[in-house]
Amino acid sequence: MADQPVIFVLNGPNLNLLGTREPEIYGTDTLDDIAGHLDDRARAAGAVIDFRQSNHEGHLIDWLHEAQAVGAKAVLLNAAGYTHTSIAILDAIKAITVPVFEVHLSDPHQREAFRHLSYVGMAAKAVFAGHGAKSYELALDVALQL
């Protein structure tokens, strides 16, 4: 396993409630469902997923630093509400060399105006949004190509 590339998948606040939280916006897939799909896809490509969720901004920052420290191939980051508020997460992304891909289930540009600003997007390699749980798979497919 140590020789397999590792891709971190980091999830921010309230994503632990997927499946029941506003399913008309976020769909019915749970975070465990998404993790399972990504794990299968990564294994088939010879990679490993390190899948995490926290409601705390500092955890996401620490995990971005950890991705750098362990030599992760990429990070898929759904910072959720922190996407639009966290300069600290922007700074953490800019401080590492691991490519970070911004992921969203919904399309923030089709939602409230305050969601149109993405601090994460200012430093992310690419953004995958508006495809439901498939947004993660699209981002993973690109990350696996690195």
Side-chain angles (χ1 to χ4, degrees):
M1 181 164 137
D3 294 332
Q4 294 178 301
V6 176
I7 297 173
F8 278 44
V9 181
L10 306 180
N11 297 278
N14 300 309
L15 292 172
N16 55 304
L17 301 177
L18 286 180
T20 59
R21 174 188 175 216
E22 300 177 276
E24 67 281 1
I25 295 173
Y26 301 110
T28 56
D29 287 319
T30 66
L31 209 54
D32 285 342
D33 293 335
I34 294 168
H37 293 305
L38 293 181
D39 190 52
D40 291 345
R41 203 174 193 100
R43 283 178 193 240
V48 175
I49 295 293
D50 189 332
F51 198 93
R52 305 175 187 192
Q53 187 277 329
S54 179
N55 292 320
H56 304 282
E57 182 180 32
H59 291 163
L60 296 171
I61 293 166
D62 289 344
W63 294 338
L64 286 163
H65 297 173
E66 183 183 341
Q68 174 80 18
V70 301
K73 181 180 183 97
V75 174
L76 310 186
L77 174 61
N78 185 343
Y82 290 134
T83 299
H84 321 290
T85 63
S86 182
I87 294 169
I89 290 176
L90 167 63
D91 287 345
I93 296 167
K94 289 169 61 175
I96 64 174
T97 59
V98 176
V100 175
F101 296 93
E102 180 179 355
V103 177
H104 297 286
L105 296 161
S106 66
D107 182 351
H109 294 287
Q110 299 300 316
R111 299 188 57 200
E112 305 92 339
F114 70 86
R115 295 185 195 275
H116 297 181
L117 172 66
S118 171
Y119 287 108
V120 171
M122 292 177 187
K125 187 168 180 71
V127 178
F128 299 86
H131 303 283
K134 291 279 184 200
S135 294
Y136 285 88
E137 294 177 20
L138 294 168
L140 178 61
D141 289 346
V142 171
L144 289 168
Q145 296 298 319
L146 298 175

